Amino acid sequence: MLQYSKYQGLGNDFLMLDAREAASSDDGFGLTAERIQLLCDRRFGIGADGLILALPPREGGELRMRIFNADGSEPEMCGNGIRCLARFLADSDGDLPGRSWQIETLAGPIVPELQADGSVRVDMGAPFLEPDAVPTTLERGEAGIPAGILEAAGERFAVGAAGMGNPHVVIPVPDVEAIDLERFGAALEVHPAFPARTNVHFVQVLDPGHLVMRVWERGAGPTLACGTGACATLVVCHRLGLADRRARLDLPGGPLLIAWDSDSDHLLMTGPAEAVFDAVLAPSVWDQAGTPAEIPAEAASAASEPLADSTVLPADPDQPPAIDCATVCAQGCIRPEACPSAEARARVAALLSSSSLDDLVNLATTSLEDRTRARAERPSSFGG
């Protein structure tokens, strides 16, 4: 059985899987695009905007984060997601306010810090404003950001773009509630000006320190919040002369405080993250994903590419190489007779074969009860 937790930050919700103690830094619980789609499905699965894996580090950090959208695609970073991960780590390990983590992401190292009120402040790093780094074909304008006029779904929009390790397009409008987000968000996400697709944000400026925005997330559609998007929105609005370097950004799920430090050029994001529940996944739900569902174009393209030379296994099955299982085995183990994870799978198989279903349910239930009780009894100065 798969033990997991669900967390949310401003209504942006994630399934959390802890694989920090995995034998391999690539142990991803056998996740595939179709399994992620099923788990995130709000009718046939658990329901979430995305799924987050906490993994052993590779580059000197404390741990590594991989995040997947509800469609199975993998973005570079997620501000709400990393706040939820930090709170999940604190709840799991008994950490108190002031604790920070060096977390490796596809966007580079990110450092969240637990605050006394239970919120999480995240040093999101500096924004990417060069077009190639966003990436976008928009040219950098007088405001120092990629900007221009884009046509989408029959309308023309004046836009600005910024990267936060992932791409964002920001569109200032007089009234965000008047925007047909389903129509224009979907069209702008796949606009040719953004070769890696993009997150889309419509923003209304109430005053230089108070903005209101709506979010269309790449790979997820309309969501209640987007942390990297809030940072990118502040950057674009400040460069356009619409906002201060520090502002409150109201999203459908609630407010985030964003500050763009002039000395370090880093953006600091502060917002809530809360536990929703802990649970175990029924084997029948996991098995439903045995038939591949539609995989996003990016994932399908990657899966169809030939394996790099470094992933070719030697003839000697006693010397399995170090391979990136999460990448090259996404559609199934490429060499089951010499799999680096065979020992771990054998231990799991032995446990399953020697335990009844009732024993497994009791084991999972006891683990969850102990964890929940420890969390409730833990002395702490923050709420939630």
Side-chain angles (χ1 to χ4, degrees):
M1 290 190 178
L2 183 66
Q3 183 172 318
Y4 69 94
S5 298
K6 186 171 181 179
Y7 277 67
Q8 63 87 13
L10 298 181
N12 204 188
D13 55 346
F14 303 92
L15 306 179
M16 318 295 294
L17 299 179
D18 191 350
R20 288 176 291 166
E21 301 301 323
S24 166
S25 64
D26 296 308
D27 187 352
F29 297 101
L31 288 172
T32 59
E34 60 269 16
R35 277 186 168 146
I36 292 167
Q37 291 169 13
L38 174 64
L39 294 176
C40 293
D41 191 292
R42 297 189 184 277
R43 291 179 175 83
F44 296 100
I46 302 165
D49 291 322
L51 182 148
I52 293 175
L53 277 173
L55 293 160
R58 282 180 172 175
E59 300 175 356
E62 291 183 59
L63 69 149
R64 182 165 59 97
M65 179 181 86
R66 293 187 71 187
I67 180 168
F68 299 90
N69 292 318
D71 67 355
S73 60
E74 183 173 10
E76 299 85 351
M77 233 294 284
C78 174
N80 285 317
I82 204 164
R83 290 202 322 276
C84 287
L85 175 58
R87 188 63 189 266
F88 169 72
L89 296 171
D91 289 343
S92 299
D93 301 343
D95 295 313
L96 297 177
R99 174 71 158 96
S100 62
W101 297 263
Q102 296 281 340
I103 300 179
E104 300 170 8
T105 76
L106 291 179
I110 302 292
V111 183
E113 180 181 315
L114 195 64
Q115 304 298 293
D117 62 357
S119 65
V120 179
R121 184 179 66 189
V122 185
D123 183 341
M124 301 288 285
F128 299 101
L129 301 181
E130 291 295 335
D132 288 346
V134 173
T136 179
T137 60
L138 292 169
E139 295 183 0
R140 194 167 183 177
E142 294 181 359
I145 58 173
I149 303 295
L150 296 182
E151 184 172 340
E155 297 288 340
R156 289 166 61 84
F157 297 97
V159 309
M164 291 299 305
N166 53 354
H168 298 271
V169 62
V170 178
I171 308 100
V173 295
D175 181 5
V176 291
E177 294 303 324
I179 294 297
D180 186 342
L181 190 61
E182 293 279 351
R183 176 186 172 192
F184 298 121
L188 286 166
E189 177 190 353
V190 297
H191 195 282
F194 296 92
R197 298 189 296 160
T198 187
N199 300 284
V200 182
H201 312 289
F202 290 92
V203 59
Q204 177 181 348
V205 179
L206 301 182
D207 64 56
H210 192 183
L211 315 179
V212 180
M213 58 184 289
R214 293 177 67 193
V215 175
W216 178 278
E217 285 199 55
R218 179 182 59 167
T223 61
L224 297 178
C226 177
T228 54
C231 292
T233 297
L234 179 72
V235 168
V236 169
C237 288
H238 177 72
R239 284 298 183 93
L240 293 176
L242 302 174
D244 296 333
R245 279 186 169 268
R246 180 183 179 89
R248 165 177 164 158
L249 283 84
D250 290 345
L251 298 105
L256 286 173
L257 298 179
I258 309 295
W260 189 10
D261 184 69
S262 58
D263 294 328
S264 67
D265 200 36
H266 284 207
L267 286 137
L268 299 175
M269 171 191 64
T270 304
E274 299 177 351
V276 180
F277 60 78
D278 300 319
V280 292
L281 184 69
S284 59
V285 177
W286 189 256
D287 293 341
Q288 286 181 42
T291 302
E294 181 179 353
I295 299 174
E298 294 83 353
S301 174
S304 65
E305 293 178 359
L307 301 178
D309 291 342
S310 60
T311 64
V312 176
L313 299 177
D316 183 358
D318 294 328
Q319 298 295 325
I323 63 173
D324 187 343
C325 298
T327 300
V328 302
C329 302
Q331 307 306 316
C333 185
I334 64 171
R335 190 69 177 273
E337 69 275 16
C339 178
S341 302
E343 182 180 349
R345 291 208 313 275
R347 291 198 301 268
V348 173
L351 174 64
L352 293 176
S353 63
S354 63
S355 306
S356 67
L357 180 59
D358 287 341
D359 290 337
L360 293 173
V361 171
N362 289 335
L363 179 65
T365 301
T366 300
S367 174
L368 289 173
E369 288 177 348
D370 290 345
R371 177 176 168 182
T372 302
R373 186 181 302 108
R375 179 189 298 168
E377 295 175 351
R378 184 180 304 136
S380 171
S381 61
F382 57 83

